[in-house]
């Protein structure tokens, strides 16, 4: 940059101190660049690919890199692994092959950032919980969902793995599954962050959903997400508090109220009645779709009953515990037969053809006979005069 004129020099604040030089500059870095020219020992960067010479050694490394990029792009060194890796591999700290999409993303069936496609759409997430996917984005959730199905699902098999689709499931369910996967993998702090925010969002909206309109579809995925939050609360409570004499873990008041609210909503809507389950489907619906839907409700009901048997309320005196348990799910609420075999559930017919082939050699339960419903057993297993708490 040439030295400024005398008129301009009056406004300059940086003057060259080299003897005989009257150059002045308004910016210090310009003066530093100028003074390098007076230094006889000042070395210049020479381009290794041509005869160009650049500025002084102390200030020109960025210019040499820019020169090579602009005039000798074929001579640039290969990108580092961190620059080469797609977003998913970079976060996982795994070697990325640099493909578009990369091989690892293809094997996981997730969108690779190297394809140039959007990986997360904010509109996919509700406004009250979308910030949770800033912690673990939707496209990265697959690892934790795999952990959920591998580790948690065998103990609580109320989701249907064959028809589960990450791109179509509601955020409340996906985030709850990611939360459980984080907890199982040992990232307890992040899992607790998910739990607190999701629980707060659920409590604000409550469980009630068109309770007066029995013809609206049941938001079963929402109920499943809430159930996962309550199971998680029970896991935390079991670690942080003592069990009562019935070996139940004690839920904090807000979580217990949410459990009561979920049970009350299911009762009002008649979700656990087999005839009501069938009424959710049109007569022309594929038999495989109906079978999966009915089995899903059955398994959800049994999981909710299991949770009710495991939990008590921490903020109630002992003499109120038994009376309060009448608000929880009982065997008398379950107006359906036991689910069909786990082999059928995990094999899971996704099409009518699969349902027919799977049914060969299989005996399905006769759900139409009320004598086989779980609720019928409550009359034989329960007596108000016997206070022994065993079912």
């Amino acid at each position: 940059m040439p030295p400024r004129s005398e008129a301009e020099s009056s406004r300059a604040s940086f003057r060259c101190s080299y003897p005989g030089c009257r150059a002045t500059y308004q910016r210090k870095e310009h003066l530093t660049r100028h003074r390098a020219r007076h230094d006889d020992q000042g070395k210049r960067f020479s381009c290794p690919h041509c005869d160009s010479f650049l500025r002084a050694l102390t200030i020109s490394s960025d210019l040499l890199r820019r020169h090579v990029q602009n005039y000798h792009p074929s001579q640039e060194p290969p990108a580092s692994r961190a620059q080469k890796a797609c977003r998913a591999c970079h976060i996982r700290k795994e070697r990325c092959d640099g493909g578009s999409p990369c091989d690892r993303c293809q094997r996981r069936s997730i969108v690779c950032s190297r394809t140039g496609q959007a990986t997360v759409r904010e509109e996919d997430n509700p406004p009250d919980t979308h910030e949770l996917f800033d912690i673990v984005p939707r496209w990265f959730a697959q690892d934790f969902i795999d952990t959920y199905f591998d580790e948690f699902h065998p103990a609580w098999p109320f989701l249907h793995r064959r028809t589960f689709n990450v791109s179509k499931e509601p955020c409340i369910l996906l985030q709850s599954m990611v939360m459980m996967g984080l907890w199982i993998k040992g990232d307890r702090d992040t899992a607790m962050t998910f739990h607190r925010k999701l629980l707060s969002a659920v409590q604000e909206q409550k469980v009630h959903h068109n309770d007066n309109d029995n013809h609206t579809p049941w938001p079963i995925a929402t109920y499943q997400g809430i159930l996962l939050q309550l199971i998680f609360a029970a896991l935390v409570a079991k670690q942080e508090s003592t069990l009562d004499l019935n070996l139940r873990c004690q839920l904090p008041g807000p979580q217990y109220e949410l459990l009561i609210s979920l049970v009350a909503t299911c009762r009002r809507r008649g979700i656990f009645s087999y005839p009501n389950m069938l009424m959710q489907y049109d007569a022309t619906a594929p038999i495989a779709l109906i079978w999966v839907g009915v089995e899903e409700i059955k398994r959800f009901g049994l999981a909710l009953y299991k949770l009710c048997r495991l939990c008590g309320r921490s903020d109630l005196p002992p003499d109120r515990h038994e009376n309060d348990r009448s608000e929880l799910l009982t065997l008398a609420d379950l107006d359906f037969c036991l689910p069909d075999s786990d082999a059928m559930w995990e094999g899971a017919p996704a099409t009518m053809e699969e349902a027919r082939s799977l049914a060969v050699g299989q005996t399905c339960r006769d759900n139409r006979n009320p004598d086989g419903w779980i609720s019928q057993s409550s009359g034989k297993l329960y007596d108000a005069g016997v206070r022994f708490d065993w079912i």
Side-chain angles (χ1 to χ4, degrees), residues 305-363:
Y305 173 76
K306 176 181 176 180
L307 179 65
C308 289
R309 296 300 305 155
L310 294 175
C311 295
R313 182 168 182 164
S314 61
D315 58 351
L316 285 179
D319 60 344
R320 286 192 55 195
H321 280 174
E322 293 308 315
N323 292 334
D324 189 67
R325 291 194 63 78
S326 63
E327 298 177 300
L328 298 181
L329 203 66
T330 67
L331 291 178
D333 293 307
L334 307 181
D335 288 330
F336 55 78
C337 294
L338 281 172
D340 286 320
S341 70
D342 289 342
M344 293 184 67
W345 179 243
E346 299 302 337
T351 65
M352 185 177 297
E353 289 71 21
E354 289 183 12
R356 288 169 178 164
S357 62
L358 191 63
V360 176
Q362 299 279 354
T363 302

Side-chain angles (χ1 to χ4, degrees), residues 27-167:
R27 298 181 64 176
K28 186 177 181 180
E29 59 266 30
H30 294 165
L31 175 62
T32 303
R33 184 182 302 166
H34 165 80
R35 290 171 68 176
R37 299 177 181 176
H38 294 300
D39 187 359
D40 292 338
Q41 302 300 322
K43 297 180 181 178
R44 303 289 183 114
F45 266 135
S46 62
C47 175
H49 309 296
C50 66
D51 295 331
S52 298
F53 288 88
L54 296 113
R55 297 168 184 162
L57 177 65
T58 56
I59 57 173
S60 61
S61 59
D62 59 326
L63 295 175
L64 176 60
R65 183 172 61 253
R66 191 180 308 164
H67 170 84
V68 173
Q69 289 174 345
N70 291 338
Y71 296 99
H72 313 286
S74 63
Q75 304 298 330
E76 283 190 77
S80 66
R81 183 180 303 168
Q83 295 172 324
K84 181 180 178 180
C86 70
R87 188 177 179 186
C89 292
H90 177 68
I91 292 177
R92 293 186 179 92
K93 296 182 172 62
E94 295 176 342
R95 185 185 297 274
C96 180
D97 64 6
S100 181
C102 75
D103 184 62
R104 290 184 182 274
C105 287
Q106 285 183 304
R107 289 202 303 267
R108 292 190 177 94
S109 299
I110 63 176
V111 178
C112 180
S113 61
R114 296 185 62 84
T115 63
Q117 301 176 23
T119 54
V120 182
R121 294 185 304 166
E122 185 171 331
E123 60 268 25
D124 287 342
N125 303 309
D128 52 317
T129 58
H130 77 272
E131 69 273 9
L132 294 178
F133 273 127
D134 292 338
I135 303 172
V136 179
R138 182 184 283 263
W139 57 266
F140 186 48
Q142 188 64 55
D143 275 0
F144 301 103
I145 289 174
D146 288 343
T147 299
Y148 172 94
F149 278 115
D150 293 340
E151 303 291 337
F152 181 81
H153 178 72
W156 299 83
F158 56 87
L159 294 183
H160 189 224
R161 188 169 192 173
R162 282 285 301 279
T163 56
F164 183 86
N165 190 327
V166 173
S167 64

